[in-house]
Amino acid sequence: MAKKILLSLLLFLLEVPAFAQPAIPIGNWRTHFAYQQLRQVIVAKTRIYGIADFGFFYLDQEDNSIKILTKNDGLSDIGIATGAYHAEQDVLIIAYKSGNIDVLYNNQIYPFSLLADANTNEQIHQITFNGSAVYVATSFGVRVLQLDITNEEEPITIKESYTRLNETGAINLPVYSSAIANDSIFLATEAGVIANGLSPLINRLDFSTWKRFKEKNGIPEEPIRFITSVDNTLYAAADNKGLFAYTAGSWGKTSFPVAGTFSSLTSTAEGLLFIVGNQIYSGLPSGAIKPVTSGLLTQPVSAMADNASTFWIADASNGLVSIGKAGESQYFPNGPVTDQARTLYYENNKIVGVSGTYSYEGTPGRNADGFYTFDTGIWTNYNTNAGNLPVITDLVDVLYNPVNQHTYFASFGYGILDWNGADGFTIIDENTEGSQLINNSPPDRFTNISALAADAEGKIWIANYGASNSLHQWDVKNNVWQSYSFSRNETQFPADILVTYNDDKWIRLDAKHGGDILVFNSELNKERYLSSTLGSGGLPGEIVTDMVADNDGQVWVGTNKGVAFFPNPAEVFEVDKLDAIQPIFDRRTLLRDQYITALAIDGGNRKWIGTSNGLWLFSETGEELVSNFTTANSPLISNNITDIAINAQSGEVFIATDRGVISYRGLATIGIATHQEVKIFPNPVRPDFNGVVGISGLAENAIVKVTSISGNLIQEIRAEGGTATWNVNNYLGQRVSSGVYLVFSSSTDGKETLVGKIAIIK
């Protein structure tokens, strides 16, 4: 049964055409999807909807604003497969890849599970309306739903299903789209076009009642993905064959001369609107078909027209594009260029992301998405297609060097990208003067750099994957290089580098080549290997997946079977037997048998741990669970975490998943000895706010006192790192009255300072 969820559009939707995303309160979430890579456009009454792989937004034509819709706004899922708008009833239906469906009507959302009792491999392809009937084309056939918007408890129900529609009724026939014409329903299927009457006297559940059009009927008996109706004339698109029309009971190929792969076919007031290859066409074969062109189009994949004869196109590179009498325009919310984030990195109050890849066998993925930064609430994308980055692929790691204030990117194939932070880029490879980087397979471009790190002097340590000298030191200031090789062959395949406080280099070797840790001291020219073997690491798993140094200098290690840490990394070359400590949580070793994917440390020295089964936050020692986030208990968009980066100034935790990036405003920030620019958010606190107030910019572990104007103590709090939180209650646990309250903070030396005021509105 569907359940109504209020969609509070005015309060919670993000308006982000090109504006910065505002800071979010502590304990809140926000998504960071790629909105330029659209897959479908839907034209509604006053809104134009854009569907990306995981993002969903609409353009409000009344005020020209862009609004994002997410699970935070009441949507039941992410990852929309398709959607359709019912103009007569002003209803939008969106269907997810999971089989869930949301009905959006009158600013309310009604979730419905279409495939609850069906095979979970069933995929939803397209939706067609016929009065109150909703025909959902799927990989198993057609699901027929009944729409009744007068029934608020159950506005949509499943009526019947047409499955096993092949010629013998033995197997399911994938249906890609459907159309209504001449009191019949026509289906575009894997085996061509089939049809049946809509008379209640016909048993459409019986496969034998369906008419199957064959070659002798004038249309190919092969996969047909698109079918539509214009004035009771059917048109079907066959890849590499062309357009076919159904009139007077028979099919025939139209005179449209272009053949290719179709990605869209819809009807308009003027006839057809369709896409073949990268070209859009409009009109009717019986009259004239004209190309629709625009300099804003690169990869058009879906097109519709509104009542004003404006074309709306979903472009896989350029977002939502409109072409009409008023000219051409482009729309999409601000976001990263891709949802496929591999690595997230924090530097100078901004997040940097890259999405390059290489295979388990070490083959470059040739990903050209470049990199993207989140700074002051805005994502900025740098890639070759945008024209603001040299030709380079597979950026897999990021490093900020505070000595020269440059950012460096490891490219698996092109060497190192050096960015001066403005518009200056330099590629460092084996041909650069002084460079000792190794091209693995000349003359091809395979200067495979897998990781970067910097030591206290600003010298860069470089992992040269697949090379005999797999580790390089680059003194950037003097352009002096030094290279190192090691005793074991597997050290030719480094995947990550961590420089510890005592200047040792902890090098994680990739999974295919052992997955151990090589610890190297360049001054002593010593190397040691740490693994799951007792006395030589004692790690919980055989494959090391991530490493991080916490605020006390301890090295925490994630493996394929849990987490451990080395409390004193400096002793790695001083003792014969060295084993990591495995924290105990819930009477067992920490996250035993969990595949750890990412580790991060917040300003309170707490441990954020990503796994293939969700996100965990543990105390400083790893023995106390603070939070466990999954898709079931939070807005987390996927349980498969790929990386974590934390904005040390704001405490916002950025989480990369296999379905895109999402962030959570944590309560811990990095603290220093003295107060900086103290920020209190939200301020004022309004009646509908039920979260906690964040007070950031404090001295490390400061004591915060909230008092009334007259000086009466209301609450006392200790900061986590440089941030304290107040739940707007007094020391008795009661919510305080309306008024202005003073915030005092004392650092560890006991000096107390008035740092701000908070206005409470009840």
Side-chain angles (χ1 to χ4, degrees), residues 200-462:
L201 300 178
I202 298 175
N203 180 15
R204 286 173 294 278
L205 304 179
D206 183 352
F207 75 96
S208 66
T209 64
W210 290 81
K211 178 178 176 59
R212 303 172 197 282
F213 297 100
K214 300 180 180 296
E215 293 280 356
K216 64 181 181 181
N217 302 123
I219 191 169
E221 193 178 354
E222 59 184 51
I224 304 289
R225 298 191 179 274
F226 299 100
I227 191 167
T228 192
S229 171
V230 178
D231 294 331
N232 273 333
T233 296
L234 268 295
Y235 292 91
D239 288 347
N240 302 314
K241 296 291 180 66
L243 277 174
F244 293 80
Y246 183 74
T247 55
S250 63
W251 288 93
K253 187 175 181 180
T254 69
S255 59
F256 177 67
V258 178
T261 301
F262 288 82
S263 60
S264 179
L265 174 67
T266 58
S267 60
T268 71
E270 286 75 31
L272 295 175
L273 182 64
F274 57 96
I275 301 174
V276 183
N278 283 331
Q279 180 60 59
I280 305 174
Y281 297 92
S282 174
L284 284 174
S286 57
I289 292 182
K290 299 180 180 179
V292 178
T293 60
S294 168
L296 297 176
L297 296 174
T298 302
Q299 294 178 277
V301 292
S302 173
M304 294 189 73
D306 63 18
N307 292 332
S309 297
T310 297
F311 298 129
W312 294 92
I313 299 102
D315 191 279
S317 297
N318 294 328
L320 180 63
V321 175
S322 67
I323 304 173
K325 297 177 182 177
E328 304 173 3
S329 298
Q330 181 183 29
Y331 309 87
F332 54 86
N334 181 251
V337 69
T338 178
D339 291 316
Q340 306 305 313
R342 172 192 176 93
T343 300
L344 297 177
Y345 182 83
Y346 169 74
E347 65 166 63
N348 278 351
N349 204 28
K350 66 183 176 186
I351 298 294
V352 182
V354 294
S355 53
T357 63
Y358 59 92
S359 71
Y360 183 75
E361 290 76 20
T363 304
R366 297 308 186 201
N367 178 288
D369 289 330
F371 69 94
Y372 30 95
T373 66
F374 187 71
D375 189 9
T376 60
I378 294 179
W379 286 99
T380 303
N381 298 300
Y382 298 84
N383 56 72
T384 304
N385 290 335
N388 56 2
L389 194 67
V391 175
I392 194 166
T393 61
D394 289 320
L395 302 183
V396 295
D397 198 17
V398 190
L399 168 69
Y400 176 71
N401 192 344
V403 172
N404 64 357
Q405 299 181 344
H406 281 211
T407 301
Y408 297 87
F409 298 87
S411 166
F412 205 83
Y414 278 72
I416 300 170
L417 177 68
D418 178 354
W419 181 37
N420 67 5
D423 56 358
F425 293 97
T426 304
I427 294 179
I428 311 297
D429 59 18
E430 73 279 3
N431 298 314
T432 303
E433 182 180 356
S435 166
Q436 294 187 12
L437 297 179
I438 298 173
N439 185 326
N440 299 340
S441 57
D444 295 327
R445 265 224 184 261
F446 285 107
T447 311
N448 296 333
I449 308 303
S450 54
L452 301 169
D455 60 26
E457 297 178 351
K459 296 176 181 177
I460 298 178
W461 292 83
I462 304 161

Side-chain angles (χ1 to χ4, degrees), residues 504-523:
D504 284 344
K505 287 73 190 177
W506 290 54
I507 302 168
R508 176 171 64 87
L509 305 179
D510 80 345
K512 184 181 180 182
H513 299 90
D516 295 341
I517 297 174
L518 160 66
V519 184
F520 175 61
N521 186 297
S522 55
E523 294 295 324

